Amino acid sequence: MFYIFCPYCGEHREEEEFHPKGQAHISRPADPEATSDEEWGDYLFFRDNPRGVHHELWVHAVGCRKFFNITRHTVSYEILEVYKMGEQPSITAEHYAAQQGAASADKERNASQAKHQEGVRA
Amino acid sequence: MSNAQQFDTRPAGEHASEIAVESPLAYSMHRSGAPKVKADTRVTLRERAFLGHLTLRGGAIVLDEALRDVLGMSLPGEPLGLVQASFDGPAGECSIQWLSPDEWLLIVPGGEEFDVERRLREALGDAHFAISNVSGGQTLLELKGEAAREVLMKSVAYDVHPRHFPVGKAVTTVFAKASVILRRPSEERWELVVRRSFADYTYRWLLDAGEEFGIGVER
Ligand SMILES: [Zn+2]
């Protein structure tokens, strides 16, 4: 079970109150008449299926009934952030990868330091 | 004043008596019964039928102003807020609760909803808003007594501990397999606003869940 923070109710609620509504930030082509069949097909039918950071649309169906966005990690299921409609995510795949890279570099540095210290102690 | 058509769902006059008014629980109480309040009753259930329920939608600022004008009460300042006030006029009280960022539920004494709606429409003038009379679509159940919270703990996943659910809070959440508006107007009283079509289900669930606490139904 997810425990999801609704940005409109301002508190965490059980997952059963929510419904996922697919990929977020899909905008309808501004000028459908001038849109090629391929572009229209992409808009209607094609969705990203990333391994990692994904921006999703959710609705607080049994609650305030408002739509909002969730940035979720599709491998760990971790909810990285929640933001209202019309807002942009602060965590993106690139941002997340850079952060993870920095974190693992930190870890390595700490590990080598620990080894070093142990070496000193021994 | 908007040109929205309004009609009184409770016509007065010579034809009033021809139209039988039935609470959503009329059949349930007949079919499933209504256990009496006994000496060892630790929770009581009461339906407050035929209240006036109005859904207000629009901007908080204009609605707040109109509500102050018409009823002398203000919108709850925070999400999940519930504000109560006494109703000037016939005996009774009214309440307004937050439902979503642009939606509130106003409950007024039964029979007042038509007039309140009309006065609100007048006060709101040309503002961008919507008022719906949903009185026929839902009903209010009241749960009282020391075991009221225990009955709720068996029925909702939502945390009803006083620390998390203080007086003056109101949430829409899952109740058993239905949805319900759960409100806490006072220390000892909880209110459930249920859909008409789910009233029988909720009523029977409450009788079942409250059995171990000797639930009694006040009529
Ligand atoms: Zn919500």
Side-chain angles (χ1 to χ4, degrees):
Chain A
M1 281 288 275
F2 281 141
Y3 201 40
I4 300 173
F5 185 86
C6 171
Y8 296 101
C9 291
E11 62 178 26
H12 283 86
R13 296 290 189 88
E14 296 288 335
E15 185 188 344
E16 67 174 334
E17 293 187 8
F18 299 85
H19 288 313
K21 290 288 180 180
Q23 188 182 338
H25 306 298
I26 293 173
S27 54
R28 183 185 159 92
D31 186 4
E33 298 293 327
T35 304
S36 71
D37 282 356
E38 197 183 338
E39 284 169 332
W40 192 253
D42 276 353
Y43 158 67
L44 277 186
F45 304 115
F46 288 84
R47 297 294 179 262
D48 296 340
N49 184 19
R51 178 183 167 87
V53 174
H54 192 214
H55 305 292
E56 298 171 338
L57 192 63
W58 284 69
V59 60
H60 192 185
V62 185
C64 61
R65 308 194 306 288
K66 290 290 174 200
F67 284 79
F68 60 97
N69 303 297
I70 287 181
T71 303
R72 190 173 65 89
H73 198 285
T74 58
V75 178
S76 65
Y77 293 109
E78 187 188 353
I79 293 174
L80 301 167
E81 67 174 332
V82 164
Y83 53 103
K84 292 181 180 177
M85 291 308 290
E87 294 178 359
Q88 290 301 314
S90 68
I91 297 170
T92 58
E94 299 78 47
H95 175 268
Y96 186 80
Q99 213 178 33
Q100 292 306 101
S104 64
D106 261 8
K107 221 177 184 177
E108 255 165 53
R109 199 176 315 121
N110 288 343
S112 71
Q113 264 174 4
K115 219 185 271 168
H116 195 70
Q117 282 166 356
E118 243 156 62
V120 170
R121 208 188 301 152
Chain B
M1 181 84 186
S2 70
N3 59 359
Q5 293 298 310
Q6 222 199 317
F7 76 97
D8 195 347
T9 52
R10 283 178 221 249
E14 54 176 322
H15 298 296
S17 58
E18 291 171 18
I19 304 163
V21 183
E22 264 191 351
S23 118
L25 287 183
Y27 176 69
S28 314
M29 293 206 180
H30 169 71
R31 182 175 171 272
S32 310
K36 290 206 161 50
V37 178
K38 302 176 290 282
D40 61 347
T41 289
R42 293 176 59 210
V43 57
T44 59
L45 176 65
R46 182 164 77 112
E47 185 197 10
R48 292 182 57 207
F50 314 126
L51 296 178
H53 299 234
L54 298 172
T55 303
L56 315 184
R57 300 204 64 176
I61 293 166
V62 284
L63 284 177
D64 184 63
E65 221 167 84
L67 208 62
R68 279 169 198 273
D69 274 3
V70 174
L71 292 171
M73 66 196 298
S74 49
L75 287 185
E78 297 286 325
L80 313 181
L82 169 70
V83 171
Q84 297 174 93
S86 58
F87 191 87
D88 53 9
E93 56 182 24
C94 53
S95 63
I96 179 114
Q97 92 168 76
W98 183 97
L99 286 179
S100 93
D102 55 6
E103 189 176 5
W104 289 265
L105 174 65
L106 173 65
I107 300 186
V108 296
E112 298 291 334
E113 64 275 18
F114 182 71
D115 190 48
V116 169
E117 181 183 346
R118 185 184 53 76
R119 281 153 65 202
L120 281 172
R121 285 187 183 281
E122 267 170 23
L124 284 159
D126 292 328
H128 183 63
F129 71 95
I131 302 177
S132 316
N133 183 347
V134 292
S135 311
Q138 52 197 34
T139 192
L140 193 140
L141 302 177
E142 207 177 73
L143 218 48
K144 259 197 306 201
E146 52 174 309
R149 189 162 71 89
E150 283 178 79
V151 171
L152 289 174
M153 283 160 67
K154 291 173 70 175
S155 315
V156 296
Y158 195 81
D159 184 4
V160 290
H161 191 279
R163 198 174 48 223
H164 187 255
F165 210 131
V167 172
K169 191 170 184 178
V171 300
T172 309
T173 189
V174 177
F175 178 99
K177 291 192 185 298
S179 73
V180 77
I181 295 173
L182 183 60
R183 333 183 327 152
R184 189 152 182 235
S186 72
E187 285 290 339
E188 70 285 350
R189 198 168 94 227
W190 295 81
E191 289 177 347
L192 288 85
V193 180
V194 296
R195 299 257 182 223
R196 185 178 195 100
S197 51
F198 276 102
D200 178 59
Y201 172 79
T202 313
Y203 178 72
R204 287 190 288 146
W205 177 285
L206 283 168
L207 289 193
D208 190 45
E211 197 180 0
E212 61 173 306
F213 310 108
I215 193 165
V217 176
E218 286 176 3
R219 306 188 67 167

